[in-house]
Amino acid sequence: MHLQTNGVVMKFKGLTALDGVDIDISKGEIVGLIGPNGSGKTTLLNVISGVFVPNSGRFRMGDREWSSVSLREAACLGIRRTFQNIRLFPSFTVLETVEVAAAWLDRGDRRENALRALDELNFRQHCGRIASELSYGMQRRLEIARAIAGKLEFLLIDEPTAGLNHAESQELVEVIQAIRERRGCGIVLIDHDLHVIMNVCDRVIVLAEGKVIACGTPQEVRRDPLVINAYLGS
Ligand code: ADP
Ligand code: MG
């Protein structure tokens, strides 16, 4: 199964943040999404996951096609995400945080889905802890646990290693790879750390000024003169 965008345009007042974006992600692959600051990476995740309604363009997953969805509809389709800036309910416990997400999707047993997601991140022993009292690195992992509770076809992850040290980043990368292995989902990974992207991703998509300027294996993208000019050179 594929998740595709076709000609997606997203404008904010005078600014065109996405300028006709076509991408195609298969289930089972990890695709890196890179580009300079302000190139539209987060906005692309926002339109795919139903945070914003784009000005134009279409989306397709399997035999479904749409021009806009709500955040909840996207989640129910199995399109799940994390946020660049952590968004947790501060006073909820770890288990409550993940259970709420599982309940929101209204499918299956919410407790069972929440515990399964927490087990996947080796988090079960922290079930009773309060979200806001966790370390920053653990909050990042909790966000991922919340995003994988229940149905998961495609996981969109926005800068998961921001603010983490090298060891914590490495651990998170292993968590992401394990999710792909276990669930067979497709993953779109935005990260500033090019070592992370180049090591983990099967393919890389490069955005600049709201347009896809390159797409290929990490080796291909690294050699692409457009990419070197727009991104790696700077
Ligand atoms: P990236 O994630 O690649 O750094 P973003 O997708 O966050 O880039 O932003 C792309 C452009 O869209 C930027 O110029 C940003 O200022 C603008 N933008 C993003 N979100 C909004 C918003 N909610 N309102 C107005 N402008 C926005
Ligand atoms: Mg961003």
Side-chain angles (χ1 to χ4, degrees):
M1 187 159 69
H2 292 243
L3 173 64
Q4 294 166 298
T5 72
N6 194 326
V8 169
V9 173
M10 180 76 214
K11 295 181 182 173
F12 298 107
K13 298 202 174 126
L15 181 112
T16 302
L18 297 174
D19 194 3
V21 172
D22 302 330
I23 65 167
D24 183 332
I25 318 289
S26 322
K27 268 192 87 174
E29 66 172 348
I30 303 182
V31 176
L33 181 59
I34 65 173
N37 265 331
S39 56
K41 303 180 297 295
T42 296
T43 303
L44 183 56
L45 295 203
N46 282 337
V47 296
I48 294 172
S49 64
V51 173
F52 295 144
V53 175
N55 295 74
S56 56
R58 307 279 301 165
F59 302 88
R60 179 196 284 273
M61 189 182 80
D63 55 9
R64 287 169 180 266
E65 213 196 322
W66 64 91
S67 56
S68 74
V69 271
S70 68
L71 193 57
R72 182 175 185 174
E73 286 165 340
C76 289
L77 287 170
I79 301 171
R80 313 289 301 277
R81 68 168 300 170
T82 67
F83 291 92
Q84 183 168 350
N85 304 309
I86 294 175
R87 293 188 191 176
L88 294 169
F89 300 112
S91 63
F92 278 29
T93 65
V94 165
L95 180 58
E96 284 164 351
T97 302
V98 181
E99 243 188 303
V100 164
W104 198 52
L105 298 178
D106 312 302
R107 294 172 71 109
D109 180 315
R110 70 190 211 197
R111 173 66 55 93
E112 190 182 304
N113 284 338
L115 289 173
R116 178 177 174 212
L118 288 166
D119 280 341
E120 287 187 40
L121 300 198
N122 291 322
F123 232 84
R124 191 190 274 239
Q125 70 273 30
H126 303 296
C127 274
R129 294 180 64 186
I130 302 295
S132 60
E133 291 169 5
L134 298 174
S135 70
Y136 181 78
M138 288 178 80
Q139 292 188 14
R140 285 258 172 230
R141 282 167 63 157
L142 179 55
E143 270 222 314
I144 295 178
R146 179 175 63 181
I148 67 169
K151 186 176 165 85
L152 175 65
E153 305 284 2
F154 290 92
L155 177 60
L156 316 175
I157 313 179
D158 201 350
E159 307 228 10
T161 71
L164 300 187
N165 66 33
H166 182 73
E168 289 171 327
S169 294
Q170 192 49 43
E171 239 177 73
L172 205 67
V173 161
E174 284 163 18
V175 161
I176 291 167
Q177 286 171 314
I179 292 168
R180 186 259 297 264
E181 297 310 318
R182 224 178 278 118
R183 300 288 198 95
C185 58
I187 295 180
V188 178
L189 175 63
I190 299 179
D191 208 286
H192 264 116
D193 186 338
L194 287 182
H195 291 292
V196 167
I197 293 289
M198 297 299 178
N199 283 329
V200 176
C201 297
D202 305 306
R203 285 194 304 131
V204 178
I205 294 170
V206 187
L207 279 182
E209 296 175 353
K211 291 192 169 79
V212 175
I213 60 161
C215 176
T217 64
Q219 292 73 19
E220 286 163 353
V221 161
R222 209 191 314 232
R223 284 196 302 262
D224 190 310
L226 273 178
V227 177
I228 294 167
N229 189 33
Y231 186 67
L232 299 175
S234 63

